[in-house]
Each structure stands twice: as C-alpha cells, then as structure tokens.
C-alpha cells in the first residue's frame, strides 16, 4: 500500500539519503553521518540521458535546497517519497529509488519503485522457495 507512482499528483516529492560529504570515520570504530531529506520537483530528461531514460524519471532540487548539501554522491539507492495532504493528515508513498545524479545540472535519476519492488519480490519468492525445498 505504501508504493505508488510518480505520475499521480502529489503535493511534494522528497528524497532521503546520506551524502558522502557528511560521513566521518574516526579511523577506529566511530562512523557518523547526516541523513538528509531534500524537496524535489519534476525535471525534464537531461540530454545526456540517451537510451538510459526508458524506465526512469527525473527530479531536481527545489530552489533554495542547494544550501543543504554540495553533491548527491553516496545517496544512490535512497528512497524518493511523494507526500499528499488528505483530511488534514500527511500521507506518503514510496515512488522511486535514486539511481544516478547529473552533477552539472543537479538532476536526480529515479527508478520507479514499482519496477524495483516487483524485481525484489521475485528474488524474495525464489529465496523462500529454495529455503522451503532444502
């Protein structure tokens, strides 16, 4: 029920992740990082996308969000959520997984979560079947 698509109308899109620039390691045992959530908006397909664009959609930072981080390096695989206010409550859905970043024009490439989730369901089903037959 938490899955949806990027074509449905929502109030906001956000991406959650840990940019590499926020990760610190003390060289022994302590790793710290900052999890960020950035507001996104729909973006046009970058010219450089070419053939990779078939099962993806694109998003860019909303104006002013650039101050929260410098680079999306390290955020690959981060979930992209869509938010919609209904009956005075915020609802969210996972709509994608960040899969690439066009650094020069600050555009995120997002794999629709339904594609990712369906592939994941197949892997889980196979793993369960092999575990039950063992």
């Amino acid at each position: 029920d938490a899955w949806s698509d990027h074509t449905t109308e929502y109030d906001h899109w956000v991406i959650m992740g840990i940019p590499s620039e926020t990760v610190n390691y003390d060289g022994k045992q302590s790793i710290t990082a900052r999890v960020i959530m950035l507001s996104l908006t729909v973006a046009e397909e970058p010219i450089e996308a070419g053939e990779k664009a078939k099962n993806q959609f694109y998003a860019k930072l909303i104006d002013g969000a650039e101050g929260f981080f410098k680079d999306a390096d390290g955020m690959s695989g981060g979930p992209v959520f869509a938010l919609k206010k209904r009956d005075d409550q915020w609802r969210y859905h996972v709509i994608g997984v960040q899969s690439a970043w066009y650094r020069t024009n600050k555009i995120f490439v997002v794999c629709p979560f339904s594609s990712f989730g369906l592939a994941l369901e197949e892997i889980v089903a196979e793993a369960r079947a092999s575990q039950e037959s063992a």
Side-chain angles (χ1 to χ4, degrees):
D1 291 338
W3 298 5
S4 191
D5 61 73
H6 65 285
T7 58
T8 301
E9 190 172 320
Y10 291 100
D11 296 320
H12 303 281
W13 283 0
V14 295
I15 185 169
M16 185 170 76
I18 302 172
S20 296
E21 67 192 53
T22 71
V23 177
N24 294 301
Y25 175 53
D26 71 0
K28 296 177 186 175
Q29 64 183 5
S30 180
I31 299 174
T32 60
R34 183 171 47 114
V35 176
I36 64 171
M37 292 186 81
L38 299 165
S39 293
L40 303 174
T41 188
V42 177
E44 293 296 319
E45 174 186 316
I47 295 169
E48 314 89 292
E51 286 296 312
K52 291 175 21 179
K54 293 196 189 264
N55 188 31
Q56 300 173 339
F57 63 98
Y58 302 90
K60 63 183 179 177
L61 298 171
I62 63 164
D63 290 338
E66 302 87 8
F68 292 97
F69 83 122
K70 295 177 189 146
D71 195 335
D73 177 62
M75 292 181 64
S76 187
V80 176
F81 298 96
L83 305 170
K84 180 83 173 169
K85 195 167 193 176
R86 288 190 196 128
D87 300 324
D88 216 26
Q89 291 187 8
W90 285 101
R91 309 283 183 195
Y92 72 91
H93 297 278
V94 180
I95 60 170
V97 177
Q98 193 260 340
S99 63
W101 164 249
Y102 288 98
R103 184 174 282 119
T104 55
N105 46 12
K106 298 193 179 196
I107 292 179
F108 290 93
V109 181
V110 185
C111 174
F113 194 79
S114 57
S115 300
F116 178 75
L118 293 172
L120 192 57
E121 280 183 346
E122 289 178 24
I123 292 167
V124 169
E126 288 174 16
R128 284 185 176 162
S130 67
Q131 203 172 41
E132 290 171 2
S133 66

